[in-house]
Amino acid sequence: MAKKIYFYVMTAKHYTLFAVLTLATAAATILLQQYRFCSISADHQFICDSAWLTGHLCNAGGASLIIGSALSQWFVYPWTSGMAAALVYGTIAASTATLLRRRGVSGWLCMAGFVPCAFLFLAMENGSYGFRGHVAFALTSAALALADHLLTGCKRQTSAVGTALLGIALYHLAGSAALLMGACVAMLEIRDRRMPWGGLASLSCCVACGLMAVRRATFVSPTEALTPLQYYNWPSSFFFPLYAWAGLLLAVAAALEMDRRLKTDSRKCAGALTLMAVAVAIAANMFRLVHNPKTYQLRHEAYLAEHGRWDDIIALHRTDRQPVFFISYLNLALAQKGILPQQMDRYNQMDISERLGWQPMSTDGLTVATDVYYHIGFLAEARRMAFNRNMLTPGGMNPQALLKLAAVNAAMGESAVAHKYLHQARKAPLFARAAMPHIGAKAPDRNRFLEIDFRQDLQDAAEADTTNHMARQFLEAYDIIWNKYRNGRR
């Protein structure tokens, strides 16, 4: 008994290193990805509704979605990204450390649990990836520690049955990540020179559960049911979650092997640091390749615009010569400060024929178009873009877009529709007391539902309300850019 207790306990320096590594993941998230987290705050928006909760709990992977949504709703505040990262990555590392310490591995080498976190960090760079994938991995790592307890503390038949049942439960809670637990259990059994009955039983049960989920139409294909694809909102490559799965297997195997081969504590410390350094170096190199600064800046600007921080948006462009499109947060910020026609030439303004630097119906394009049209009082287009933005949000519930729809419809005289959208937005806990937003702009008599003549629409919006200085500035800026690119010809 004394020996087992020793295996579960790490020294103060090991706990200190664990805390430092956890805080490092939080700091890296805040420094490099906080506005990426902000952009997914409405993905599968958490709703305090029994039908919503039970509906997801009845589906495979529903628990990870609910937990992920409960956490991600707080991403409207940028600093919460670091807290979420520390919680998830810390859980993964702590669960792995529990498994390794139970097997007598040095406290230094127990830090191997941070290796897969490097690849989960990279997975967040994909705009289609959902935070529920992180939660599913954390649940799987915790279940793996429990499965190893069955392996080391129970008879072979009991452990095989227990891991099979655990695999079924985990697949229902976390989805396809449960396959990782089965693979790791099989690896540990082989290393212990045992037939991998527990791992094979768990894998078989998970595959059966996945195929049953396809038959129930929870997933559209076996690929979605049995791979990390199910943690993506739209069809996408899913290399980084797979790398994280492989990273956990390799990290556990490497820690066990190094603990066996390295005899002194100093060498084990050096081995642990080398393992972490290799993981960080690989992640840093891949991050450089996959990170899109242009897209990330758009998400930063979207957050600033949502909070009316126009000076900060202008400051982001103070020293660059990046292309500035007519429908952009920079031009919106300049107009909010009342200096768009006077200051726009300081920046690399694109031709009107390239009004939006993104695909018009992409998530990024709809985000910037919704905000710009909303603030300049171009009501018809603001309503259309906000509606599409809400429809493209995974789960179809975007409180910020719904509040804009409420305000636009109220300005257009559709009071009943406006209150319907406000009621929908208030279903989200953080927006439960949201007031009806107000737009001072008035709808013109010829307020079209679809854009036909953009300049004429701007002119109609400006003439409908003489106090709409935003629309007037954009109309003047439109003519300046038109003439600039056409040598004075209108």
Side-chain angles (χ1 to χ4, degrees), residues 262-317:
L262 303 177
K263 302 304 181 182
T264 65
D265 197 49
S266 60
R267 289 185 177 182
K268 292 177 181 180
C269 177
L273 293 177
T274 300
L275 189 63
M276 292 303 304
V278 170
V280 171
I282 293 173
N285 182 59
M286 288 186 173
F287 181 83
R288 179 181 59 84
L289 298 175
V290 301
H291 180 68
N292 188 329
K294 179 182 175 184
T295 301
Y296 187 72
Q297 179 164 310
L298 175 75
R299 291 163 182 160
H300 188 179
E301 291 176 326
Y303 171 80
L304 295 174
E306 192 67 31
H307 293 82
R309 293 168 55 179
W310 310 113
D311 289 327
D312 292 338
I313 293 176
I314 295 172
L316 288 177
H317 294 266

Side-chain angles (χ1 to χ4, degrees), residues 158-182:
T158 304
S159 65
V161 174
T163 51
L165 295 176
L166 185 59
I168 295 172
L170 182 61
Y171 189 89
H172 188 75
L173 294 173
S176 61
L179 291 164
L180 172 61
M181 186 198 74

